[in-house]
Amino acid sequence: METPRPDATVPVLECRNLSISYDTNAGEVPAVTDFNLRLMPGEAHGLVGESGCGKSTVALAIMRYLGRNGRITGGQILLNGRDLLAMPEAELCRLRGSEIAMIYQEPMASLNPSMKIGAQLVEVPRRHGGLGRSEAGNHAAAMLARVRIPDVERVRNAYPHQLSGGQQQRVMIAMALLANPKVLLLDEPTTALDVTVEAGIVELIKEIAAEFGTSMLYISHNLGLVQESCARLTVMYAGEAVETGPVAEVFRNMRHPYTRGLFGSIPLPGADKTSRTLTAIPGQLPSPRSRPLGCNFGPRCAEFRAGLCDQAAVPMLAVASGRTSRCLRVAEIDWAAPPVSGTRRAPGPPGEVLLSVEELSKSYGGVKANRDLTFEARQGETLAIVGESGCGKSTLARVIMGLEAASGGKVFYRGRDLGQLPVTRRDTPTVRSLQMVFQNPFDTLNPSHTIGFQIARVIRKFGTAKGEAQIRARVEQLLDIVKLPREFVMRRPRQLSGGQKQRVGIARAFAGNPALVVADEPVSALDVSVQAAVTELLMDIQQEHGTTMLFISHDLSVVRYLADRVVVMYLGRIMEQGRTRDVFAPPYHPYTEALLSAVPIADPDMEKRKVALEGELPSPSNPPKGCPLSTRCRYAIAGLCDRDLPPQQDFGHGHRIACHLPREMLLAMEPVFRDGAQATRHGNAEKEVSHV
Amino acid sequence: MNSPLPAALPPAVLPGWRRPEPLTVVLLLLAFVWLSLSTYVMVPDRLGVAHRWLLLPAIPAVIAVHVLLLRMFSRSTVAVVGITMVMLWILVAAAAPYLPLLDPNRPVAPYQMPFTTKNGMTFWLGTDMRGRDILSRTLWGSQRVLVWGITATFSAYVVGAFLGLVAGYLGGWWDEALSFLGNMVLSFPVMILLILVLNYLGQSGFNIIIAVTCSSAPAIMRIVRGLAMDARGRDYIQAAQTRGESVVWIMLIEILPNVRGPLIVDACLRLGYTTVMITTLTFLGLGLQPPDPDWGLMIKEAASSALLWKFAYMIIVPSIAVSTLILGFNLLADGLRELSQKD
C-alpha cells in the first residue's frame, strides 16, 4: 500500500459529477450517474462493485473510448486539470497510451495473436516516444525485465499463445508502462488468472506503483484484492458511487448498507459454517431502465424508510474527513450492531464411508490428469477438492460421474467399483444417487427447454414420482426448496439471472434424491452477493437431505467456510488432505502454504505471511519427476524432491501431507494468517460509535 | 436471486404445462398445408372424390400462417417481403384447383399473345406453341415445384441433420467415416451427381427427392456436425449424460433444438437452391415428365419457340415465377438472420 506523496495536492485525474448513458434500441439507458473521483499522484484507488454496476463504463469513459453507442451526458473528466471531454480526437490519441493506459481482464484478447511480443511492445515507444527501432527494442526488453519476466529474449520472440496467462498479463503491464503513463486503469487485471499467479501480479502492480509513481484506478469485484493493493476505494452500486474513503477505514467501519451487505456475503478467514452463516443481500440489482426513485439500494435495504429513502435522488454526504456515503440515514443507523446472522449449523457426526477412491489414475494420451488419488468421502460430509486450473480436479469429477473411465485404480461407491463403469452401464439407482452441479450458469440449463420440463425430466427418468400430477407437485416442491417462484416452471433459461439458473441447476441435481452431489465450482461465476445466497442454499439442502458433497473449488475462502474435509491437489496429485481446520493450520504442505498466502483477504486487521511460488506451472504432459511441486517449491531439497515421490506423512485425524521435508520442519511452520487485532477491533468499533 | 413472490400464488392458477406458441401453431399449419398439397400432387389417383375438395381447408390455413408470420417478423422488412413472396406462391398452389382457370393441359389456340381474347376466352399471359393457357400453367405449375422442392429439401435435412448429429456428438470413428463419405459426395459436381442418380434410378418425382437428398445432405451434415460439436461440450449435455440419457435423446432433444437457429436460415437458402436444381433438372428433361405443368418444363418446351423475340413471353413468364419464389426464400433467410442478430 502506498500513501499519496506529501506534496501532492492537485489530483492527476478527476471526475466531476460524471454521467454516462448508452443508446440502445429501446432508447437511452443511464449507465453511470453523478460519479466523482479524485485520484492523487501515486495513489491507488480501488473501484469495487458487482457486475453491471458501471465500473468498467467509468474506466472506458476516462479513456474516452465508450464505443459508438456510449455517451457522456454530463460532468467533467480532468486529467492534470485539462478537460478530456473538450479535447479533439487527435489529442486524445496522443494521450491514450502516453498519459493514460489501460489493462484489461483478458490478456489473450488484448494481445495481437499474429505478432511477436517484441514487435507489439516496440510499437509503444516508437509511437509515443518517437524512438528508433533498435532503441525502442532495448527499451522494451528492459521493461520486460522490470515486470519480472525471467527469460526476456525468449518472450520477445514468442507469440502470445506461447506464453502463460500470467506472463501475458505481465507483458500487458510492460506495454502499458512503456510510455510512462501518469494514470493506469486496471480493469479486473487478475480475474482470469489462478490465485497464485494473481498474487504475483498484484505484488508486481504494487511495486510498479511505488517505483514509477503511477496513479492507479484498480477495478475489481474482489474486496480482498482492493484491500491488498489500494489506499482508497469507491464502492459502486447500480451506476452510482455509494461509499468512498480510505480502504482500511471503510473495511473496518462501513457507512453504507450496501457495503455492509457485501461484507456479510463473503466468507472471511476465521469464520466457518458452524460459527457464522453468510448473509446474502435480498433482491436483485435493478436494471438500468427500472432504477427506483430515490436511493437505488432502497428496495434491497434493511434500513429503508418509506417517505425518506424513496423521495429524490440521494446526494453523496460527507461522513468523516475524506469519507462520503450515499445514505440519508447514515447518522441514524447503528453501524456497530453485529451483522444479522442466520441459525448456526451444528456439525453432524461423520457417517459411514460412501465413496472411496483408491490409487485412481486417469490419463489422456500422454497427459496424466490424475495420478494415484486416494481419499474417501463419508455420508453427509462436505469434502472440498481444491487446486488451481490444470490440477485435475474436474477430470476427477468426470471419472466419478462415469463420463470418463479411469485408467487405473478404483472408485468404490457403497462398496462397488465404478472406476471402469461408464454412466451408460451403471444401474439406475447408482446413476440416480450420483448427481452433479455445474460451474457455468449460462451453460448449465438447456436454453431450448422450460425450467419445468428440465426438472420434470429428471424426476421421470429416475421415477421418483409417478403420474403427471405428482411430478408437477414434486417440481413445484423443488422450486420451493431452491427458493424460486413456482411460475418459473414455464420460464426458459434466458429469462433467468445467473443466480437463478444456478438454483435451477441445484434443484435439478437434487430432484432424484441423490446420495452424493459433485459440485464443480458452483458459485465461482456468480457475483459476490449471489454467491452467498447460492452457497447457503446448497448447504441447507445438503444438510436437510444428509447428502454427501464433493465441492470442487479454487477459492480457499469458500472452502474453508463450508468444507468438513479438504483435499489439496496439484498437477494431478494429492498434496495434502485432512479436516478443514487441520489443513488451514500448520503443519502445511508447502503448496497449501503458498495457496493460503495467495488468497486476498478483505480484512485490514488480518496479517498475512507472504509465501510466493516461483516459476510457472509445469505442463501436465511433462510433469517433473519426483514431487510435482519440486520445480517451484522454496523448500525443495535438491537430489531428493526432484527424484523421488514424497512419502505420505500422517499427522493424525486423517491429516496427511505428501512431502519430503522432515516432520519437525513441517510441525514448526508458522501460521499464514494472524488475526492481529481481534482485541483492538472491538476497541475501534467502540471508538467509532462515540465519534459518530 | 429470487423475488419474494411465490407465497402469494395459489398453486391452482398455474398455467398449463404447454401453452402453444405462435411458432408451434405456424409449424403445425404449415405441416398440414404441406401434407395436403403433397398428397394432392403425389398420389392424385388414390383419392377418389376427396381429390376435389382436398385443398380447400389448406387455403385458410395458408392465410393464417401468413398473418402469423407477418406478425412475428414485422421488425424486419426484408423478412416481410420474403414471407409475402413465398406465401403468395403457396396460396396460389393451394387455390389453383378452385380458381376460374382454363385446363392447363388443354390445347386451345396456339401462339396467342398476352391480353388477347378469342372465342370468348381471355388469355392474360397468352398461350404456348401447343395452345395451352400460360397463366393457368404457371399457377398450376407452382404446385409441383413447391411440393417436390420442399419435400426434397426436408428429406435432405432429415438425413443430413441426423448424420451430422451422429458425427458431431459421437465423434471419433463415426465422425471420421461420415465426414469422409460426405467429402466424397461433395467432390462431385452437383449436376453430374444428380444426372447420375436420376439416370440410374429412373426419372420421377420421388427419385428427384433421392437425388437432391444425396447432393444436399453432406453439406447439411457438415453444418450440423459443427454445431453439434460445439453443443457437445456444454454443461447441460453433461447433465443429461450424468442422468443416464440415451444417445438418441441427447441428440434429438438436448442438441437439435439448440442448433435450429442457423439451420432454419440455411434451410430457407437451400429451398431456393433446390428450386433451382429441380427446375434445371426438368429443363434438362430429367425428373418431372410432361404433360403436367411445371416451370422447368415450360421453359424447356418454350425454348425453341422463344428464340423469336415475339414469343419470348412463353419463357419469361415461368422464369419470373421461378425467380420470385427463389428470391422469396433468399429474402426470408436474410430476414431471419437479421432478426437473430437483433435479439
Side-chain angles (χ1 to χ4, degrees):
Chain A
M1 252 186 287
E2 46 302 305
T3 43
R5 294 173 190 171
D7 61 318
T9 47
V10 184
V12 56
L13 178 75
E14 192 175 2
C15 295
R16 287 187 191 156
N17 307 327
L18 186 64
S19 293
I20 306 159
S21 293
Y22 285 109
D23 293 321
T24 65
N25 287 341
E28 187 181 311
V29 175
V32 172
T33 43
D34 189 26
F35 179 82
N36 286 286
L37 173 81
R38 284 165 68 89
L39 190 61
M40 294 298 173
E43 184 186 48
H45 193 110
L47 203 54
V48 184
E50 298 179 279
S51 54
C53 72
K55 47 194 198 303
S56 293
T57 302
V58 168
L60 290 171
I62 291 171
M63 291 293 275
R64 290 283 316 277
Y65 198 63
L66 276 170
R68 242 186 305 171
N69 63 339
R71 215 150 33 84
I72 295 170
T73 50
Q76 282 181 305
I77 304 174
L78 303 177
L79 182 72
N80 286 324
R82 295 163 67 201
D83 191 351
L84 283 179
L85 303 186
M87 226 173 253
E89 188 61 34
E91 182 74 8
L92 280 172
C93 280
R94 207 188 54 73
L95 280 184
R96 290 187 197 123
S98 66
E99 303 267 319
I100 315 179
M102 186 152 172
I103 292 167
Y104 297 89
Q105 179 173 345
E106 288 283 345
M108 190 64 198
S110 310
L111 291 165
N112 185 335
S114 62
M115 271 173 87
K116 287 184 177 171
I117 298 295
Q120 299 191 46
L121 284 172
V122 161
E123 282 181 344
V124 180
R126 281 175 67 97
R127 175 82 177 76
H128 289 295
L131 300 183
R133 183 173 290 278
S134 64
E135 206 179 338
N138 294 338
H139 211 68
M143 188 56 78
L144 282 180
R146 285 172 90 169
V147 295
R148 320 274 181 274
I149 281 191
D151 39 358
V152 171
E153 275 316 304
R154 182 187 76 84
V155 169
R156 278 178 75 185
N157 288 312
Y159 288 97
H161 72 270
Q162 295 168 317
L163 304 181
S164 69
Q167 283 180 332
Q168 286 172 359
Q169 199 59 293
R170 280 171 197 267
V171 168
M172 283 311 297
I173 293 172
M175 193 182 285
L177 290 173
L178 267 171
N180 200 6
K182 306 263 185 319
V183 180
L184 197 55
L185 308 178
L186 300 128
D187 191 355
E188 308 254 6
T190 58
T191 306
L193 305 176
D194 266 326
V195 63
T196 56
V197 182
E198 172 180 84
I201 299 278
V202 169
E203 203 58 30
L204 173 73
I205 290 170
K206 280 155 69 177
E207 286 169 22
I208 277 165
E211 192 178 336
F212 291 74
T214 317
S215 306
M216 294 194 301
L217 186 63
Y218 195 107
I219 297 173
S220 180
H221 66 280
N222 188 324
L223 294 166
L225 274 180
V226 167
Q227 200 276 128
E228 292 193 353
S229 51
C230 298
R232 292 178 63 82
L233 96 161
T234 300
V235 182
M236 287 189 77
Y237 177 78
E240 291 176 333
V242 292
E243 181 165 7
T244 62
V247 169
E249 282 183 42
V250 173
F251 278 37
R252 284 199 190 99
N253 305 296
M254 304 120 205
R255 283 294 176 270
H256 193 280
Y258 175 66
T259 320
R260 193 163 66 168
L262 270 187
F263 274 89
S265 39
I266 55 171
L268 292 172
D272 63 41
K273 59 182 167 183
T274 56
S275 67
R276 183 186 79 112
T277 57
L278 300 180
T279 328
I281 305 174
Q284 289 189 56
L285 183 75
S287 83
R289 231 170 273 138
S290 56
R291 286 181 185 150
L293 185 64
C295 178
N296 278 343
F297 190 60
R300 304 175 68 185
C301 184
E303 311 287 350
F304 178 77
R305 287 289 172 277
L308 174 70
C309 299
D310 54 1
Q311 293 305 303
V314 183
M316 264 317 218
L317 305 170
V319 178
S321 79
R323 289 194 61 181
T324 52
S325 166
R326 203 181 283 275
C327 180
L328 288 173
R329 303 192 63 235
V330 66
E332 304 163 28
I333 297 172
D334 176 13
W335 298 102
V340 187
S341 188
T343 46
R344 295 175 180 194
R345 293 182 179 78
E352 61 185 80
V353 173
L354 192 70
L355 180 83
S356 159
V357 176
E358 289 175 13
E359 304 278 315
L360 176 72
S361 295
K362 171 71 192 169
S363 37
Y364 300 95
V367 180
K368 296 178 178 114
N370 287 162
R371 290 185 286 169
D372 302 332
L373 306 182
T374 302
F375 62 86
E376 52 193 35
R378 291 172 177 277
Q379 169 102 45
E381 79 173 349
T382 303
L383 177 69
I385 297 174
V386 183
E388 297 178 280
S389 52
C391 75
K393 52 194 195 303
S394 295
T395 304
L396 172 64
R398 290 181 63 82
V399 173
I400 293 174
M401 296 309 296
L403 299 176
E404 309 266 357
S407 316
K410 293 187 160 49
V411 179
F412 287 108
Y413 171 75
R414 290 195 199 277
R416 228 177 116 205
D417 181 16
L418 300 179
Q420 305 296 331
L421 213 56
V423 66
T424 43
R425 286 185 18 226
R426 295 181 182 178
D427 55 11
T428 311
T430 310
V431 171
R432 190 177 74 192
S433 45
L434 295 177
Q435 283 297 301
M436 192 157 172
V437 179
F438 295 90
Q439 173 176 15
N440 187 346
F442 300 98
D443 235 22
T444 187
L445 301 179
N446 192 326
S448 295
H449 300 304
T450 60
I451 305 306
F453 176 85
Q454 302 197 44
I455 299 178
R457 176 65 194 170
V458 184
I459 299 170
R460 286 202 180 95
K461 183 81 194 160
F462 295 145
T464 39
K466 295 271 185 315
E468 281 306 306
Q470 272 195 40
I471 291 174
R472 187 190 294 201
R474 174 77 178 136
V475 170
E476 285 167 4
Q477 185 196 356
L478 282 162
L479 285 176
D480 291 348
I481 289 175
V482 296
K483 303 194 176 74
L484 288 176
R486 288 181 170 183
E487 63 262 27
F488 272 35
V489 283
M490 286 311 295
R491 298 263 176 101
R492 280 172 207 280
R494 63 165 183 277
Q495 296 163 295
L496 270 57
S497 71
Q500 288 170 337
K501 286 183 207 174
Q502 222 43 350
R503 281 163 191 266
V504 176
I506 292 171
R508 186 181 58 187
F510 280 88
N513 297 324
L516 177 83
V517 168
V518 177
D520 187 358
E521 307 251 11
V523 296
S524 63
L526 302 175
D527 263 321
V528 175
S529 66
V530 184
Q531 271 188 14
V534 175
T535 311
E536 288 296 325
L537 174 75
L538 197 54
M539 289 192 313
D540 283 342
I541 301 178
Q542 181 211 3
Q543 203 176 34
E544 213 162 284
H545 292 68
T547 317
T548 307
M549 184 155 71
L550 282 195
F551 191 89
I552 298 177
S553 180
H554 69 279
D555 187 340
L556 286 171
S557 322
V558 174
V559 164
R560 174 173 198 155
Y561 174 71
L562 60 77
D564 299 309
R565 288 198 304 118
V566 179
V567 170
V568 181
M569 283 181 71
Y570 178 77
L571 268 186
R573 282 191 192 277
I574 294 179
M575 300 279 102
E576 178 173 0
Q577 60 176 306
R579 295 184 305 183
T580 308
R581 60 173 163 243
D582 294 335
V583 171
F584 280 75
Y588 302 116
H589 187 282
Y591 177 65
T592 316
E593 186 192 26
L595 260 186
L596 281 174
S597 165
V599 178
I601 299 298
D603 186 345
D605 294 324
M606 195 64 90
E607 281 170 33
K608 200 168 80 175
R609 195 155 55 87
K610 290 270 174 237
V611 188
L613 277 187
E614 296 146 14
E616 297 280 331
L617 186 76
S619 154
S621 59
N622 185 21
K625 277 179 78 176
C627 175
L629 191 66
S630 58
T631 52
R632 303 174 71 189
C633 181
R634 59 179 189 149
Y635 304 103
I637 307 165
L640 178 65
C641 290
D642 51 4
R643 205 171 292 163
D644 299 330
L645 273 180
Q648 296 279 346
Q649 304 195 43
D650 202 318
F651 289 88
H653 297 290
H655 185 203
R656 287 201 292 275
I657 296 179
C659 190
H660 282 296
L661 290 183
R663 202 179 167 81
E664 308 75 57
M665 201 170 154
L666 290 172
L667 282 169
M669 276 185 167
E670 277 179 46
V672 171
F673 302 115
R674 232 186 48 232
D675 194 346
Q678 191 79 60
T680 50
R681 198 186 308 166
H682 291 290
N684 273 346
E686 275 157 29
K687 207 164 58 194
E688 271 301 314
V689 174
S690 56
H691 176 76
V692 173
Chain B
M1 305 273 299
N2 57 332
S3 51
L5 272 173
L9 265 172
V13 301
L14 265 173
W17 283 84
R18 297 209 178 106
R19 179 180 46 195
E21 292 182 29
L23 190 66
T24 323
V25 177
V26 164
L27 288 180
L28 283 176
L29 285 176
L30 273 180
F32 170 71
V33 170
W34 173 66
L35 265 178
S36 329
L37 261 178
S38 39
T39 328
Y40 188 87
V41 172
M42 289 179 187
V43 285
D45 314 328
R46 297 194 201 153
L47 292 168
V49 208
H51 193 247
R52 270 185 81 183
W53 310 109
L54 183 66
L55 284 182
L56 265 183
I59 299 173
V62 176
I63 297 172
V65 169
H66 194 184
V67 171
L68 280 172
L69 283 176
L70 285 186
R71 250 194 234 161
M72 280 163 67
F73 300 127
S74 60
R75 280 181 303 153
S76 162
T77 323
V78 179
V80 165
V81 174
I83 287 166
T84 308
M85 288 167 93
V86 172
M87 293 313 291
L88 265 183
W89 277 122
I90 298 182
L91 184 65
V92 164
Y98 314 107
L99 292 176
L101 294 171
L102 296 170
D103 184 341
N105 291 332
R106 200 184 99 200
V108 188
Y111 296 107
Q112 294 300 317
M113 298 299 289
F115 308 111
T116 48
T117 309
K118 201 170 182 183
N119 304 337
M121 288 178 282
T122 307
F123 303 105
W124 293 104
L125 296 177
T127 58
D128 65 5
M129 59 283 149
R130 294 204 191 125
R132 298 171 295 193
D133 181 35
I134 289 188
L135 175 68
S136 169
R137 283 182 75 74
T138 308
L139 297 190
W140 275 96
S142 63
Q143 277 190 349
R144 294 178 71 177
V145 170
L146 280 170
V147 164
W148 295 115
I150 294 177
T151 313
T153 313
F154 183 75
S155 144
Y157 257 88
V158 171
V159 174
F162 184 74
L163 295 181
L165 284 171
V166 170
Y169 176 65
L170 295 181
W173 186 87
W174 284 98
D175 187 20
E176 295 277 329
L178 287 172
S179 296
F180 181 75
L181 273 177
N183 286 340
M184 272 194 2
V185 175
L186 282 176
S187 63
F188 275 89
V190 177
M191 266 303 143
I192 308 263
L193 187 73
L194 293 176
I195 291 168
L196 274 179
V197 172
L198 283 175
N199 268 333
Y200 180 72
L201 293 176
Q203 299 166 359
S204 76
F206 291 99
N207 290 339
I208 285 190
I209 295 179
I210 295 174
V212 169
T213 305
C214 283
S215 68
S216 291
I220 298 164
M221 184 188 94
R222 275 197 178 175
I223 300 173
V224 178
R225 172 180 169 267
L227 294 167
M229 282 171 85
D230 174 57
R232 180 174 61 172
R234 305 284 178 147
D235 285 349
Y236 57 81
I237 301 298
Q238 288 197 26
Q241 289 169 341
T242 53
R243 65 171 185 262
E245 296 286 5
S246 70
V247 171
V248 175
W249 171 278
I250 292 180
M251 289 196 306
L252 297 185
I253 310 291
E254 303 283 344
I255 297 182
L256 191 59
N258 293 309
V259 302
R260 64 174 188 263
L263 278 194
I264 290 172
V265 173
D266 180 74
C268 291
L269 284 176
R270 208 163 285 282
L271 277 170
Y273 303 151
T274 311
T275 313
V276 175
M277 250 188 243
I278 292 179
T279 313
T280 314
L281 282 176
T282 38
F283 175 76
L284 291 175
L286 295 159
L288 302 179
Q289 295 303 312
D292 279 343
D294 174 83
W295 295 341
L297 272 176
M298 288 168 75
I299 297 173
K300 181 197 174 195
E301 289 171 347
S304 50
S305 314
L307 288 177
L308 280 175
W309 176 243
K310 196 180 161 198
F311 300 121
Y313 66 89
M314 290 183 199
I315 213 165
I316 289 175
V317 171
S319 303
I320 289 178
V322 177
S323 308
T324 46
L325 181 62
I326 296 169
L327 187 64
F329 282 132
N330 288 356
L331 290 178
L332 183 55
D334 279 353
L336 287 177
R337 192 177 295 148
E338 184 189 323
L339 283 173
S340 72
Q341 281 162 358
K342 263 186 193 168
D343 287 337

